[in-house]
Amino acid sequence: MSEKLEVLLTAQQLQARVYEIAKQIIEDYGQQSLVLIGVLKGSAYFLADLSRALPEEVRLDFVQISSYGAGKTSSGTVQLRKDHDIDIHGQHVIIVEDVVDTGLSLSYLKNLLATRKPASLRTAAMLVKPGAMKEEAIPDYVGFKIENDFVVGYGLDHAERYRNLPYIAILREDSDPKA
Ligand code: IMP
Ligand code: MG
């Protein structure tokens, strides 16, 4: 089955939006130090760009969860596969996600990290698919609201491919009626 990529957001659009989000975060947190916790693997590019647009008082960490297999739909259950290392007790924490689809992953992580008593806990996602929102997991910082398409690039994958695209594209397959 052949696949087709349709550019949705260019590298320039992504970079410009990252700087706007960083500006907003700087306004909100001032001089306070921050811990950014990226959700592996999809958030890697967003986290790298966002952190470099923020002042030096930023620490990075990662968590990994599994909810999706090799397919395009969520399995519906979320499991923690890798925890963060930095002690976030009393810290200002922002969870950094690639995309919020059902919201299950982000609300799972928010609940988990909240038990560790950070001084504050917010969430940032490059993309949000509002139509599919199952739970109240709208991020505090949103890059772009998109339609309910399956997208790849800028960290997002399909079966581990396409993460390295510098832009975000809709992945269409030949059998896809919208192709
Ligand atoms: P949620 O728990 O349904 O919000 O799913 C969020 C996770 O599913 C994201 O962190 C991605 O890893 C994955 N995901 C959701 N939609 C897409 C997509 O369009 N492309 C690639 N991965 C996606
Ligand atoms: Mg993810």
Side-chain angles (χ1 to χ4, degrees), residues 67-68 74 97-106 129 149-152 156-157:
S67 62
Y68 275 50
S74 172
E97 250 290 32
D98 49 7
V99 55
V100 175
D101 183 359
T102 63
L104 222 63
S105 308
L106 204 53
K129 299 182 183 180
D149 290 305
F150 194 85
V151 290
V152 294
L156 291 151
D157 74 308

Side-chain angles (χ1 to χ4, degrees), residues 7-83:
V7 178
L8 180 66
L9 296 159
T10 64
Q12 288 77 8
Q13 285 176 294
L14 297 174
Q15 292 308 312
R17 191 69 190 118
V18 167
Y19 278 95
E20 285 171 5
I21 294 171
K23 194 165 164 262
Q24 187 63 56
I25 290 175
I26 292 165
E27 274 175 33
D28 292 350
Y29 290 85
Q31 296 302 307
Q32 302 179 102
S33 64
L34 265 176
V35 180
L36 301 182
I37 300 191
V39 186
L40 290 170
K41 302 172 194 169
S43 72
Y45 293 77
F46 180 33
L47 184 77
D49 286 342
L50 182 64
S51 60
R52 284 180 294 181
L54 290 171
E56 59 195 53
E57 258 312 301
V58 164
R59 286 175 292 159
L60 306 182
D61 210 334
F62 294 96
V63 291
Q64 186 162 26
I65 53 175
S66 56
S67 62
Y68 275 50
K72 286 185 177 178
T73 51
S74 172
S75 67
T77 51
V78 182
Q79 272 186 315
L80 187 70
R81 292 175 62 188
K82 185 226 172 291
D83 213 335

